[in-house]
Structures are given as structure tokens and as C-alpha cells.
Amino acid sequence: MSEQLFFLLGGADLEMQTIRDVLVRQGIPFADHHLRWDNALLSSYQEELQERKGGQTIYGIELREDILPPSCYRAVDHHNGLSSFPCALEQVLDILQLPMNRYEQLVSANDKAYIPGMLALGATSEEIATIRLADRKAQGVTEEEEHLAEKAIADNKEIVNGLIIVHALCSRFSPICDRLFPYHKLLVYTDSEWMYYGDDSTKVCELFSDDLLEGNLFYGGGEQGYVGIKQNVYDKNEILEMVDQIKNL
């Protein structure tokens, strides 16, 4: 079976790194262009698609389809309209007919539902800390960005009607989220993007339904999940206007 499968890896995080490790262990062929979330495009793998579209089933993991895929292509994703699907790691293990070990269960829970997802599995504080640190490292978060997260929380945090709002000093939001957990509602933003986490995330989606239809919004995780906009689509004033709309929701 493995000779008939080929995988294309998407944006770097702990789930993608774990999928990569599974494929290596199983001897499954794959291509990894070391993409980020913001440039995880199917067109990044045009050469591989052209070379392999004849005899293999090609699985693209969390890749935005900016080009028309060949008929042998299958998308593996669980965001936006696919948010009811199992996470990518679960889907890959199902394709390969492999059981999940404890570590993979925690990685999947973290990817789908963050720390609450791991708590639902009975994760210990040590397990949660290990998974969250590994996820930040897999995303490429540096020590400097960890320090910038601490500074942003100290200097740029406000609370409005139970909503925690942080004006971040870099585009890495996960160190801020991890340091502020547990929270009910959190909004983190820069001059070029914002992310909302927690309660009422579906209401935030509804608030910006036009932006969602235009493909500039992404979401996942259900009612207590997350909502965000693509980087560098809106200017600073538009970002601030959207932040104010969320504050008044």
C-alpha cells in the first residue's frame, strides 16, 4: 500500500512534525518544503504533482488549493468547512491503518482543541507543558519571540467585558496564548493580523461573514475554537476597526 501513497506536508507545527515522523518510521514517501501556515499552498508542490500524478494517490496535508489538483489528489484538512473532520494526524493514521499512541493522542487533542482538548484526555500538567513547548518550537518560535510575548502581556494587555486583548510585538501568538491560559476569550493582534480564541468564536465568524466568503478568514475548533485573518490582507486602520468590532460584540 505504501508504494501507492505519496504525501505533501503543509505548514510547520507539532502535528505536521508528528505526521512527518510517522511517515519516516513507516517508510512512506513524502515531500516537505518546510512551509509555514501563511504560505502552505498546493502550488508549492507543482513539480511533485506533475511527476507523480500517474500512478500514486497524493495526499496534501493542510494545503490551500490555489491551483487545480489532479484527479489522484486527496486533501487532508480539518479547518474552515472541514472543521467537523478529524484532525490531520488522525486522518493520516487512519489512511495508514495505524493505531494512535499516547503522544499522538495528545498531539491530536492539542491541535483540535488546544489545552482544553488535552485536559479532556486527562493530561497531566507535565504532559501539557511538554506538548505546548514542542508545538511552539515546531512552529519556529524563538527565545526572542518568547520574551516579546512576555513584554506584550506586561505592557499591552487590556480587558474589556471579559475579553482579554493583547497588542502583540511579533506575529507569533502562541507564546501569548500559552502564558495567559486559562482564559474564556482572548484577542491577539498586530498591525497586520488578528486571532480570536475561546468562547463565542462562532459569533466572531458571523460578525465577519463577508470576509469569510472572500477567503480572508479562517477558523476551527468549534464554539470555543479560534478565528483569524490572513496576514497582510488588511491595513492597520482596518485591523483596528475589526478589533473594535470584536470588543463590542
Side-chain angles (χ1 to χ4, degrees), residues 5 18 22 34 42 48 69 84 113 125 131 141 148 160 181 240:
L5 307 179
T18 306
V22 169
H34 305 287
L42 183 57
E48 287 84 358
S84 62
S125 57
I131 292 294
V141 176
L148 288 174
V160 178
F181 188 86
L240 292 176

Side-chain angles (χ1 to χ4, degrees), residues 97-207:
Q97 299 177 20
L98 296 172
M100 296 186 76
N101 60 34
R102 173 64 173 176
Y103 181 77
E104 291 162 351
Q105 289 173 348
L106 290 170
V107 171
S108 296
N110 172 65
D111 199 81
K112 288 185 295 186
Y114 187 48
I115 294 174
M118 290 188 281
L119 289 171
L121 282 181
T124 65
S125 57
E126 291 79 9
E127 285 177 320
I128 290 171
T130 297
I131 292 294
R132 289 307 309 149
L133 178 60
D135 200 6
R136 296 201 303 274
K137 287 186 175 180
Q139 293 171 27
V141 176
T142 65
E143 284 298 320
E144 174 63 19
E145 288 166 335
E146 296 278 2
H147 293 315
L148 288 174
E150 294 177 352
K151 181 173 175 55
I153 292 170
D155 298 344
N156 300 336
K157 185 183 78 170
E158 62 175 317
I159 301 177
V160 178
N161 299 323
L163 171 65
I164 302 172
I165 306 163
V166 180
H167 187 182
L169 301 174
C170 71
S171 63
R172 303 290 192 178
F173 293 172
S174 58
I176 293 176
C177 298
D178 290 354
R179 284 168 170 80
L180 290 176
F181 188 86
Y183 50 79
H184 291 290
K185 299 185 289 185
L186 172 64
L187 174 63
V188 185
Y189 72 98
T190 65
D191 291 345
S192 62
E193 63 181 318
W194 58 259
M195 285 286 296
Y196 179 97
Y197 310 86
D199 297 349
D200 297 332
S201 61
T202 55
K203 291 182 180 179
V204 176
C205 267
E206 293 167 1
L207 182 64

